[in-house]
mmCIF file of all heavy atoms in Angstrom:
data_model
loop_
_atom_site.group_PDB
_atom_site.id
_atom_site.type_symbol
_atom_site.label_atom_id
_atom_site.label_comp_id
_atom_site.label_asym_id
_atom_site.label_seq_id
_atom_site.Cartn_x
_atom_site.Cartn_y
_atom_site.Cartn_z
ATOM 1 N N LEU E 55 18.609 22.139 23.190
ATOM 2 C CA LEU E 55 18.480 21.256 24.355
ATOM 3 C C LEU E 55 18.744 22.021 25.646
ATOM 4 O O LEU E 55 19.388 23.060 25.640
ATOM 5 C CB LEU E 55 19.459 20.087 24.243
ATOM 6 C CG LEU E 55 19.181 19.089 23.113
ATOM 7 C CD1 LEU E 55 20.247 18.003 23.091
ATOM 8 C CD2 LEU E 55 17.805 18.464 23.285
ATOM 9 N N GLY E 56 18.223 21.495 26.739
ATOM 10 C CA GLY E 56 18.586 22.013 28.049
ATOM 11 C C GLY E 56 17.649 23.064 28.596
ATOM 12 O O GLY E 56 16.607 23.364 28.031
ATOM 13 N N LYS E 57 18.095 23.627 29.705
ATOM 14 C CA LYS E 57 17.236 24.539 30.465
ATOM 15 C C LYS E 57 17.220 25.933 29.858
ATOM 16 O O LYS E 57 18.217 26.396 29.316
ATOM 17 C CB LYS E 57 17.748 24.634 31.903
ATOM 18 C CG LYS E 57 17.767 23.303 32.632
ATOM 19 C CD LYS E 57 18.280 23.487 34.039
ATOM 20 C CE LYS E 57 18.661 22.182 34.725
ATOM 21 N NZ LYS E 57 18.163 20.938 34.189
ATOM 22 N N PHE E 58 16.072 26.582 30.026
ATOM 23 C CA PHE E 58 15.941 27.952 29.535
ATOM 24 C C PHE E 58 16.458 28.939 30.582
ATOM 25 O O PHE E 58 16.890 30.029 30.271
ATOM 26 C CB PHE E 58 14.467 28.226 29.207
ATOM 27 C CG PHE E 58 14.193 29.610 28.719
ATOM 28 C CD1 PHE E 58 14.705 30.046 27.506
ATOM 29 C CD2 PHE E 58 13.406 30.481 29.458
ATOM 30 C CE1 PHE E 58 14.448 31.322 27.041
ATOM 31 C CE2 PHE E 58 13.135 31.766 29.001
ATOM 32 C CZ PHE E 58 13.668 32.188 27.787
ATOM 33 N N GLY E 59 16.376 28.517 31.872
ATOM 34 C CA GLY E 59 16.886 29.388 32.928
ATOM 35 C C GLY E 59 15.815 30.096 33.730
ATOM 36 O O GLY E 59 16.118 30.950 34.546
ATOM 37 N N LYS E 60 14.556 29.758 33.471
ATOM 38 C CA LYS E 60 13.462 30.355 34.239
ATOM 39 C C LYS E 60 12.474 29.266 34.637
ATOM 40 O O LYS E 60 12.457 28.186 34.046
ATOM 41 C CB LYS E 60 12.711 31.378 33.373
ATOM 42 C CG LYS E 60 13.376 32.717 33.256
ATOM 43 C CD LYS E 60 12.394 33.721 32.652
ATOM 44 C CE LYS E 60 13.059 35.060 32.451
ATOM 45 N NZ LYS E 60 12.448 35.839 31.386
ATOM 46 N N GLU E 61 11.598 29.633 35.607
ATOM 47 C CA GLU E 61 10.521 28.710 35.978
ATOM 48 C C GLU E 61 9.218 29.203 35.376
ATOM 49 O O GLU E 61 9.019 30.397 35.208
ATOM 50 C CB GLU E 61 10.365 28.670 37.503
ATOM 51 C CG GLU E 61 11.461 27.893 38.183
ATOM 52 C CD GLU E 61 11.202 27.726 39.677
ATOM 53 O OE1 GLU E 61 10.274 28.368 40.196
ATOM 54 O OE2 GLU E 61 11.924 26.946 40.302
ATOM 55 N N ASN E 62 8.311 28.265 35.064
ATOM 56 C CA ASN E 62 6.990 28.703 34.611
ATOM 57 C C ASN E 62 6.107 28.949 35.824
ATOM 58 O O ASN E 62 6.540 28.818 36.971
ATOM 59 C CB ASN E 62 6.368 27.710 33.616
ATOM 60 C CG ASN E 62 6.003 26.380 34.248
ATOM 61 O OD1 ASN E 62 6.013 26.223 35.459
ATOM 62 N ND2 ASN E 62 5.661 25.415 33.409
ATOM 63 N N VAL E 63 4.854 29.296 35.565
ATOM 64 C CA VAL E 63 3.930 29.692 36.612
ATOM 65 C C VAL E 63 3.734 28.583 37.657
ATOM 66 O O VAL E 63 3.410 28.839 38.804
ATOM 67 C CB VAL E 63 2.573 30.101 35.991
ATOM 68 C CG1 VAL E 63 2.095 29.076 34.993
ATOM 69 C CG2 VAL E 63 1.510 30.322 37.020
ATOM 70 N N GLN E 64 3.959 27.326 37.260
ATOM 71 C CA GLN E 64 3.740 26.214 38.182
ATOM 72 C C GLN E 64 5.008 25.829 38.934
ATOM 73 O O GLN E 64 5.084 24.760 39.513
ATOM 74 C CB GLN E 64 3.196 25.004 37.421
ATOM 75 C CG GLN E 64 2.807 25.395 36.053
ATOM 76 C CD GLN E 64 1.551 24.805 35.551
ATOM 77 O OE1 GLN E 64 0.948 23.964 36.192
ATOM 78 N NE2 GLN E 64 1.154 25.240 34.391
ATOM 79 N N GLY E 65 6.038 26.695 38.831
ATOM 80 C CA GLY E 65 7.277 26.425 39.554
ATOM 81 C C GLY E 65 8.111 25.354 38.895
ATOM 82 O O GLY E 65 9.047 24.816 39.492
ATOM 83 N N GLU E 66 7.807 25.021 37.633
ATOM 84 C CA GLU E 66 8.595 24.005 36.941
ATOM 85 C C GLU E 66 9.652 24.697 36.089
ATOM 86 O O GLU E 66 9.378 25.721 35.471
ATOM 87 C CB GLU E 66 7.683 23.158 36.026
ATOM 88 C CG GLU E 66 6.655 22.362 36.788
ATOM 89 C CD GLU E 66 5.485 21.912 35.926
ATOM 90 O OE1 GLU E 66 5.339 22.420 34.804
ATOM 91 O OE2 GLU E 66 4.725 21.069 36.391
ATOM 92 N N GLU E 67 10.833 24.099 36.070
ATOM 93 C CA GLU E 67 11.912 24.703 35.293
ATOM 94 C C GLU E 67 11.610 24.593 33.807
ATOM 95 O O GLU E 67 11.363 23.492 33.304
ATOM 96 C CB GLU E 67 13.212 23.979 35.620
ATOM 97 C CG GLU E 67 14.401 24.731 35.134
ATOM 98 C CD GLU E 67 15.626 24.354 35.948
ATOM 99 O OE1 GLU E 67 15.734 23.185 36.356
ATOM 100 O OE2 GLU E 67 16.471 25.231 36.159
ATOM 101 N N GLN E 68 11.629 25.721 33.108
ATOM 102 C CA GLN E 68 11.335 25.679 31.667
ATOM 103 C C GLN E 68 12.558 25.219 30.888
ATOM 104 O O GLN E 68 13.679 25.635 31.165
ATOM 105 C CB GLN E 68 10.933 27.068 31.170
ATOM 106 C CG GLN E 68 9.526 27.472 31.575
ATOM 107 C CD GLN E 68 9.170 28.833 30.985
ATOM 108 O OE1 GLN E 68 9.902 29.787 31.142
ATOM 109 N NE2 GLN E 68 8.035 28.910 30.327
ATOM 110 N N GLN E 69 12.312 24.388 29.902
ATOM 111 C CA GLN E 69 13.363 23.970 28.985
ATOM 112 C C GLN E 69 13.298 24.872 27.755
ATOM 113 O O GLN E 69 12.260 25.466 27.467
ATOM 114 C CB GLN E 69 13.136 22.503 28.567
ATOM 115 C CG GLN E 69 12.949 21.544 29.723
ATOM 116 C CD GLN E 69 14.210 21.343 30.533
ATOM 117 O OE1 GLN E 69 15.281 21.099 29.988
ATOM 118 N NE2 GLN E 69 14.105 21.487 31.847
ATOM 119 N N LYS E 70 14.405 24.921 27.007
ATOM 120 C CA LYS E 70 14.399 25.783 25.810
ATOM 121 C C LYS E 70 13.281 25.376 24.849
ATOM 122 O O LYS E 70 12.648 26.226 24.237
ATOM 123 C CB LYS E 70 15.752 25.686 25.096
ATOM 124 C CG LYS E 70 16.854 26.441 25.794
ATOM 125 C CD LYS E 70 18.153 26.330 25.013
ATOM 126 C CE LYS E 70 19.325 26.688 25.914
ATOM 127 N NZ LYS E 70 20.582 26.115 25.451
ATOM 128 N N LEU E 71 13.058 24.073 24.720
ATOM 129 C CA LEU E 71 12.021 23.645 23.775
ATOM 130 C C LEU E 71 10.612 23.991 24.250
ATOM 131 O O LEU E 71 9.729 24.223 23.438
ATOM 132 C CB LEU E 71 12.118 22.138 23.513
ATOM 133 C CG LEU E 71 12.786 21.697 22.208
ATOM 134 C CD1 LEU E 71 12.805 20.178 22.114
ATOM 135 C CD2 LEU E 71 12.159 22.288 20.963
ATOM 136 N N ASP E 72 10.403 24.026 25.588
ATOM 137 C CA ASP E 72 9.109 24.483 26.122
ATOM 138 C C ASP E 72 8.833 25.894 25.629
ATOM 139 O O ASP E 72 7.745 26.221 25.170
ATOM 140 C CB ASP E 72 9.139 24.566 27.665
ATOM 141 C CG ASP E 72 9.040 23.223 28.359
ATOM 142 O OD1 ASP E 72 8.299 22.363 27.864
ATOM 143 O OD2 ASP E 72 9.692 23.066 29.402
ATOM 144 N N VAL E 73 9.868 26.743 25.772
ATOM 145 C CA VAL E 73 9.718 28.159 25.435
ATOM 146 C C VAL E 73 9.550 28.329 23.928
ATOM 147 O O VAL E 73 8.690 29.075 23.456
ATOM 148 C CB VAL E 73 10.953 28.952 25.951
ATOM 149 C CG1 VAL E 73 10.883 30.406 25.540
ATOM 150 C CG2 VAL E 73 11.035 28.830 27.469
ATOM 151 N N PHE E 74 10.321 27.583 23.158
ATOM 152 C CA PHE E 74 10.235 27.677 21.697
ATOM 153 C C PHE E 74 8.852 27.224 21.214
ATOM 154 O O PHE E 74 8.182 27.922 20.448
ATOM 155 C CB PHE E 74 11.335 26.809 21.053
ATOM 156 C CG PHE E 74 11.222 26.753 19.562
ATOM 157 C CD1 PHE E 74 11.714 27.788 18.776
ATOM 158 C CD2 PHE E 74 10.609 25.678 18.930
ATOM 159 C CE1 PHE E 74 11.593 27.758 17.388
ATOM 160 C CE2 PHE E 74 10.468 25.637 17.553
ATOM 161 C CZ PHE E 74 10.971 26.677 16.786
ATOM 162 N N ALA E 75 8.415 26.058 21.685
ATOM 163 C CA ALA E 75 7.121 25.520 21.217
ATOM 164 C C ALA E 75 5.986 26.453 21.612
ATOM 165 O O ALA E 75 5.055 26.688 20.828
ATOM 166 C CB ALA E 75 6.901 24.122 21.802
ATOM 167 N N ASN E 76 6.069 27.013 22.802
ATOM 168 C CA ASN E 76 5.036 27.947 23.252
ATOM 169 C C ASN E 76 4.965 29.153 22.316
ATOM 170 O O ASN E 76 3.882 29.554 21.868
ATOM 171 C CB ASN E 76 5.369 28.399 24.685
ATOM 172 C CG ASN E 76 4.227 29.113 25.350
ATOM 173 O OD1 ASN E 76 3.069 28.733 25.180
ATOM 174 N ND2 ASN E 76 4.523 30.159 26.094
ATOM 175 N N ALA E 77 6.119 29.699 21.978
ATOM 176 C CA ALA E 77 6.153 30.874 21.090
ATOM 177 C C ALA E 77 5.616 30.510 19.704
ATOM 178 O O ALA E 77 4.859 31.284 19.103
ATOM 179 C CB ALA E 77 7.576 31.409 21.002
#
Side-chain angles (χ1 to χ4, degrees):
L55 293 178
K57 300 180 194 342
F58 179 66
K60 280 193 183 154
E61 285 187 350
N62 68 11
V63 48
Q64 349 221 354
E66 296 161 347
E67 194 156 35
Q68 285 183 308
Q69 308 291 312
K70 285 181 198 157
L71 259 180
D72 284 323
V73 176
F74 174 81
N76 193 39

